[in-house]
Amino acid sequence: MNNKDLAKNVLDLVGGEQNISGLTHCATRLRFVLKDDSKADLKALDQLEGVLRAQNSGGQVQIVIGAKVDAVYSEVRKLTSDRIGGGEETADNGPKKRRNPVNVVLETIAGIFTPVLPALVGCGMIKCLSTVMAAMGWLEGSGFLTIINMIGDLIFYFLPFFLAVSAAHRFKTNPYLAVALAAGLMHPTILNAAAQIADTGVSTIDFLGMPILLMKYSSSVIPIILAVWIMSYVYPLVNRVIPKFLQVLLTPMIVLFIMIPLELIVFGPVGSHIGDWLTNGINSLFSTAGVLAGAILGFFKPIMVMFGMHYAIMPIQVQQVATLGATVLLPTALAANLAQAGAAFGVFFLTKSKTMKSAAGSSGFTALFGITEPAIYGVTLKYKRPFFAGCLAGGLVGGFYSLVHTTANAIALPGVLALGTYTSDRYMYVVIGCIAAVVLGFVFTLIAGIKEDTAGATTKQPANGAVDGVQSVIAAEQTSAFTSSQDSTSTDMLIVSPMTGEIKPISEVEDQAFAQELMGKGIAVVPTEGKVYAPFDGVVEALYRTKHAIGLKAANGVEILIHIGVDTVSLKGKYFNAHIQQGQAIKAGDLLVEFDPEGITAAGYNTITSIVVTNMQQYGDVLTTATSGPIRESEALIKLIP
């Protein structure tokens, strides 16, 4: 599925543009703030091709995409109006739902910092390059190295400007006035006077009898966020009391006259002190109980990633780098990421599934570079044991990094490409920790092992369209109704045809997900009747709302997907009528779905129906009883060999 189709399906499954209150994205996931969370179909979103996981966490519907999230975000923005995006929430006159204050705070932090992340990571990687060049003595004293250092430091010298724009979008206020607030903190009148306090002895400026403390705000985080937040209330209040014909002239002037002194007298000093307390508190924790603190953070980092909570500590990391020149938090994230990479490589070594080997190998390398969502959602979490094996390895190495006082002097993705930004008692300890994290994650996974049958029942594989991007996730208990063939051994099982029609090879389906057996092995039927019957006793585990695709499972674990037509998801349920519901128990021969073959054909769609075994990796072979010719409902169609 291409990015545009994925964006369309995501937009539809979150309830459409009218249900979106705000939208941002980070390095790996789309983050929706919805007016009504119940309208989001998380199960269908979770099963889309290209989606690693969909979840509701921290007051957001988070859709983990992976490395191409920026491209998908751009496609979503193209499909929505300008009022959606950048964390900006749309007007909603409906009833307001009460939200957990903690979730609101975490959501706000993520909404402000995730748009700034590209600049943070970009400057961080440049900082890594300059650090390596300086350590190697390359181009020392050259203009080239000077400019490289300058680029690496840009984000921290002018951080209030970046945060002002992002916070303005988040708090739905004027971004240009927000930048003016940042300029008030960064003006030479304040910065130069603050730098000369030791020489002049002057630490304040009098403003109508109130003291303005002279402080350096160039790398501050909290002051500008507080100021923009308060301005989001002051601006509309001023606008309401000013006559409309004077608003253009007077509103900005009055807002700045109120806000600049207010931020310099109150929010700047208060925010700076809060930032210092947080920074010093974390450093004190690591200095008194460093090994334990590092181990806890190293263990829980992947769990924080699962819930999208890892950006909640971003302000502390930034504040530490800005005020102290280094952060003690990023090394624990480095340990956790590399440990999950090792766990993914362990799955690669253990699994017998070619599909999972490919996923484990590629996502393991991605995790080495600092992006762990593909490894977590696509591999280790599916088997559970490797995930916790990686957490344990990350905790041990996180404790080790704290023991040897490892820090990072820039904000960059915690992976091998950013190793130049890390320092320790001896740099060799950084390298030893990296190797140990990967090796321990790998070894602990080998010790814990994996259960192929458990993972096989939940492994997603790509398909076409919205359920065409769906891999049935089938997991309920059912009674078996498979019959033994008289021409086969007693252990062979037969699946009967769910419809009447003409058999065709699966390779003739004009959908590569089925034709190339990416969804599973099976057969195709061109229906001559518009009815689909249950081929066995079982449970309906997946019924897409457009009714064109059904996932079924029997008690012995066999899973099938019946997909009626090609691209028929686009019909949005027209010409289809379901007689069952998801989760409903069924008996062999029950009528599941009726459809109108002539209407579907007249609408320009092919009715060829794919019938595939989606957990084929659990069987020795999946055979078809014929590759052509007529077949009637309930006649033998597919043979499963254990």
Side-chain angles (χ1 to χ4, degrees), residues 4-17:
K4 184 177 181 180
D5 290 339
L6 179 57
K8 288 180 180 178
N9 290 325
V10 166
L11 191 60
D12 181 50
L13 292 174
V14 297
E17 178 183 350

Side-chain angles (χ1 to χ4, degrees), residues 219-278:
S219 301
S220 61
V221 172
I222 299 177
I224 187 61
I225 294 177
L226 287 176
V228 175
W229 176 49
I230 296 300
M231 190 185 74
S232 69
Y233 293 96
V234 172
Y235 185 92
L237 180 62
V238 172
N239 218 30
R240 280 198 297 269
V241 300
I242 300 296
K244 287 188 176 181
F245 71 96
L246 292 175
Q247 285 178 351
V248 174
L249 293 175
L250 297 184
T251 297
M253 180 189 75
I254 295 174
V255 169
L256 290 176
F257 186 80
I258 294 172
M259 288 305 307
I260 297 295
L262 195 59
E263 73 171 351
L264 293 174
I265 295 170
V266 181
F267 304 129
V270 169
S272 292
H273 287 310
I274 292 174
D276 289 341
W277 291 336
L278 288 173

Side-chain angles (χ1 to χ4, degrees), residues 166-216:
S166 184
H169 283 294
R170 183 66 198 171
F171 298 130
K172 298 184 293 182
T173 192
N174 189 295
Y176 302 102
L177 287 179
V179 170
L181 295 187
L185 295 174
M186 296 291 293
H187 197 276
T189 298
I190 302 298
L191 294 185
N192 292 344
Q196 297 171 5
I197 290 177
D199 297 328
T200 64
V202 178
S203 60
T204 63
I205 297 176
D206 180 78
F207 181 81
L208 299 178
M210 295 176 287
I212 293 177
L213 295 178
L214 297 176
M215 305 181 70
K216 181 181 179 182

Side-chain angles (χ1 to χ4, degrees), residues 547-570:
K547 309 178 186 69
H548 74 293
I550 316 158
L552 307 172
K553 183 184 177 182
N556 61 1
V558 178
E559 306 167 4
I560 69 168
L561 173 66
I562 303 170
H563 190 282
I564 307 166
V566 177
D567 290 334
T568 46
V569 63
S570 301

Side-chain angles (χ1 to χ4, degrees), residues 14-189:
V14 297
E17 178 183 350
Q18 67 278 4
N19 191 42
I20 301 174
S21 178
L23 169 63
T24 59
H25 77 91
C26 55
T28 56
R29 67 188 71 195
L30 299 174
R31 295 169 176 265
F32 288 92
V33 179
L34 302 181
K35 298 172 184 175
D36 184 354
D37 288 350
S38 66
K39 292 182 179 180
D41 191 339
L42 291 180
K43 186 170 184 179
L45 283 165
D46 197 51
Q47 296 170 342
L48 279 175
E49 176 196 352
V51 172
L52 297 173
R53 185 177 179 88
Q55 62 190 18
N56 193 321
S57 178
Q60 300 174 328
V61 170
Q62 301 177 3
I63 303 173
V64 183
I65 303 293
K68 66 175 184 177
V69 64
D70 188 60
V72 177
Y73 172 80
S74 296
E75 292 296 339
V76 173
R77 293 283 287 110
K78 291 177 184 177
L79 296 171
T80 57
S81 63
D82 290 338
R83 65 198 183 102
I84 302 294
E88 183 175 353
E89 296 189 6
T90 61
D92 181 11
N93 297 323
K96 300 292 183 181
K97 57 184 179 182
R98 298 187 63 180
R99 301 169 64 190
N100 188 315
V102 175
N103 286 345
V104 172
V105 171
L106 294 178
E107 171 193 321
T108 300
I109 292 173
I112 291 172
F113 271 88
T114 51
V116 182
L117 193 61
L120 277 169
V121 172
C123 290
M125 296 307 296
I126 294 293
K127 187 72 172 178
C128 175
L129 176 62
S130 68
T131 301
V132 171
M133 292 176 66
M136 300 298 292
W138 296 341
L139 302 175
E140 187 174 354
S142 69
F144 178 83
L145 189 57
T146 299
I147 296 299
I148 291 296
N149 281 323
M150 181 197 75
I151 297 173
D153 291 334
L154 284 177
I155 186 69
F156 292 107
Y157 277 126
F158 302 103
L159 186 59
F161 289 104
F162 292 90
L163 294 178
V165 175
S166 184
H169 283 294
R170 183 66 198 171
F171 298 130
K172 298 184 293 182
T173 192
N174 189 295
Y176 302 102
L177 287 179
V179 170
L181 295 187
L185 295 174
M186 296 291 293
H187 197 276
T189 298

Side-chain angles (χ1 to χ4, degrees), residues 330-347:
L330 270 179
T332 61
L334 175 67
N337 287 355
L338 297 186
Q340 288 297 320
F345 292 141
V347 173

